[in-house]
Amino acid sequence: MAKANAKPSRKNRAKPKPASAAPETKTPLKVLSRGEILATDPAILERLGRHLVIGYHSPATVKALVEKKAIAGIFITDHNVRRRKVPDIRAEIDALQAIRKSQGLPPLIIAADQEGGAVSRLTPPLARQPGLAKVLSSVKPGEDPKPAVVAYARKQATELKRIGVNLNFAPVVDLKIDPKRRSDGETQLRFRALSSDPKTVSNAAGWYCDALAEEGVFCTIKHFPGLGRVALDTHRHAGDIKAPLVELKGADWVPFRDLMGKPHVVTMLAHVRLRELDRETPSSFSAPVINGLIRTEWDHKGLLITDDFSMGAVTRAKEGIGGAAVKALNAGADLVLVSFSDKHLNTVMTALIDAEKKGNIDRDVRAASLERMKALPAAHAAAPAVLLQQIPPLPVKKSAEKP
């Protein structure tokens, strides 16, 4: 180590920069208020809103966004259903869908994270089920696991349809690989991953997705490029995959490649850096991964949704959550998920509106995305007729619901 008071050699001595060469500082965008966002050019709001799925607390807040065509869908989770009855939840969702229908737009995406087991965000009031991994492990040696998986998926789809869910963030198709010193916090992949064998995962996940599709619910395979080798919790930090691509193609990516081409399957992009392709940017908004690998090399025409942009791996990224959203859409992601919309949506929308006005959102990429999104459910899942008879009139109260 050099001494603190030692003078640098003439060779290594830095030359003073002229004043004109001072680095230019980029003024951060002033985050728009929700009122300013809603007052934006309606055509811009609709173009950008086609790519956003948001979580929410206040029905009044999300209703205002739906009325302005500023979102493509909603993500419902535990705080939206806690201590509430199914008919009341369904009436709230139907009220939003009625607005969409009056606008002549496709139904809202109604997304949920209902894997079963520990990840059962809508239980109660929906029936509790084990995780799919537990279903597989309970099958006796020599028995065909397909009937058990199909029965499980049909029951889950029936429950989801009771409240109008048409997109479920399941199944997990990450391989059950436990890297040494795993510190994956909330991810808890060892309980959620189905198997270490790629074909076992492909088969079970395929049966599950097909059974959901028969009931009008899309599945989401997650989390590409795979969390099996990732030691960190992406809720807090971006993870890394250092394995060579050839190894991933022969193992981790087999379930994704087997299933992502199905018309009723959506693929979720994880906040994981695929080091061989992009050492800096998580895959959820990486152009080399999304555009280079998935869209170009694999020629994938299916739908891609990001993992939650409210997670620390994105909010702490150098691009920030707004810059990451712009990058994700330009790279070829179709939908950006923002679960904490009260905290983060204004920042995301500010960045997207600014990029749109400056012509910084690729028109060709967006046009291709709109074509892909025509594959989404033509109507939100219908509840059984006996339940529909129990649904009360649409709510008329205007007060916001407390978180």
Side-chain angles (χ1 to χ4, degrees):
M1 182 180 290
K3 293 182 180 179
N5 296 325
K7 294 181 179 180
S9 67
R10 184 177 297 275
K11 181 178 179 180
N12 296 326
R13 194 176 298 160
K15 295 181 180 180
K17 293 181 179 179
S20 58
E24 181 181 347
T25 57
K26 185 176 180 181
T27 305
L29 291 174
K30 175 185 175 295
V31 177
L32 301 173
S33 69
R34 188 61 57 86
E36 290 171 322
I37 290 169
L38 293 175
T40 298
D41 180 346
I44 291 178
L45 273 185
E46 183 175 359
R47 285 198 296 271
L48 298 175
R50 293 166 180 161
H51 302 284
L52 295 172
V53 176
I54 68 163
Y56 67 99
H57 281 83
S58 164
T61 300
V62 79
K63 179 184 176 185
L65 291 164
V66 173
E67 289 174 335
K68 290 291 185 177
K69 307 176 185 178
I71 56 174
I74 58 173
F75 167 59
I76 58 173
T77 188
D78 48 7
H79 61 253
N80 300 115
V81 303
R82 191 179 299 125
R83 294 185 294 276
R84 300 183 67 195
K85 296 181 179 179
V86 166
D88 296 330
I89 301 165
R90 180 60 186 262
E92 186 175 287
I93 290 173
D94 281 353
L96 297 175
Q97 294 289 23
I99 296 171
R100 291 282 287 195
K101 186 174 182 180
S102 71
Q103 295 167 332
L105 292 175
L108 288 168
I109 297 165
I110 310 298
D113 197 8
Q114 189 76 348
E115 293 178 18
V119 184
S120 298
R121 310 300 186 200
L122 305 183
T123 301
L126 299 190
R128 182 168 298 281
Q129 290 181 270
L132 184 53
K134 191 169 185 63
V135 172
L136 283 179
S137 65
S138 66
V139 176
K140 295 179 181 178
E143 285 187 359
D144 181 4
K146 182 176 179 179
V149 172
V150 170
Y152 168 87
R154 284 178 177 162
K155 180 179 179 181
Q156 192 169 80
T158 299
E159 287 294 300
L160 292 170
K161 288 166 61 177
R162 294 174 66 202
I163 55 176
V165 170
N166 53 29
L167 175 64
N168 193 27
F169 294 153
V172 170
V173 298
D174 309 307
L175 296 189
K176 195 170 186 176
I177 305 170
D178 283 325
K180 295 178 180 178
R181 299 181 299 277
R182 175 180 288 279
S183 178
D184 63 354
E186 294 179 52
T187 305
Q188 296 290 302
L189 197 64
R190 64 186 179 277
F191 301 117
R192 299 162 62 201
L194 305 183
S195 174
S196 60
D197 176 60
K199 280 301 178 182
T200 297
V201 175
S202 289
N203 289 337
W207 300 327
Y208 173 90
C209 288
D210 289 346
L212 255 64
E214 290 174 3
E215 301 294 331
V217 180
F218 277 39
C219 74
T220 308
I221 55 174
K222 58 186 187 183
H223 311 75
F224 187 84
L227 297 181
R229 301 172 189 266
V230 178
L232 295 178
D233 180 5
T234 56
H235 292 84
R236 301 180 180 278
H237 312 279
D240 288 289
I241 296 178
K242 300 177 182 179
L245 299 187
V246 65
E247 185 175 335
L248 297 170
K249 289 176 180 177
D252 306 54
W253 293 352
V254 169
F256 290 101
R257 296 303 308 277
D258 284 349
L259 302 176
M260 63 196 301
K262 288 176 173 279
H264 52 274
V265 173
V266 178
T267 303
M268 179 173 280
L269 302 168
H271 310 316
V272 174
R273 289 180 291 254
L274 191 53
R275 297 295 292 271
E276 191 169 326
L277 290 182
D278 191 338
R279 299 179 66 86
E280 301 294 328
T281 310
S283 297
S284 52
F285 52 101
S286 165
V289 175
I290 302 173
N291 180 53
L293 176 66
I294 299 175
R295 295 296 186 203
T296 303
E297 183 179 332
W298 291 353
D299 193 30
H300 179 57
K301 299 294 195 298
L303 288 163
L304 300 176
I305 186 170
T306 69
D307 205 344
D308 182 14
F309 264 36
S310 293
M311 291 163 69
V314 179
T315 59
R316 295 172 180 167
K318 63 181 181 181
E319 294 86 354
I321 190 172
V326 174
K327 277 192 166 185
L329 295 187
N330 279 332
D334 300 297
L335 297 163
V336 174
L337 174 62
V338 183
S339 70
F340 289 95
S341 62
D342 291 350
K343 184 175 183 180
H344 296 130
L345 183 61
N346 290 2
T347 303
V348 169
M349 288 297 292
T350 297
L352 291 174
I353 290 169
D354 181 72
E356 175 73 9
K357 289 181 175 179
K358 291 177 179 176
N360 292 336
I361 295 182
D362 191 299
R363 292 185 178 182
D364 293 337
V365 172
R366 179 163 55 198
S369 178
L370 294 180
E371 281 298 310
R372 290 190 293 268
M373 284 197 283
K374 290 179 181 179
L376 285 167
H380 69 292
V386 64
L387 176 61
L388 288 173
Q389 294 172 5
Q390 302 171 5
I391 294 178
L394 299 182
V396 294
K397 63 179 182 179
K398 297 181 179 179
S399 59
E401 190 178 87
K402 291 184 180 181

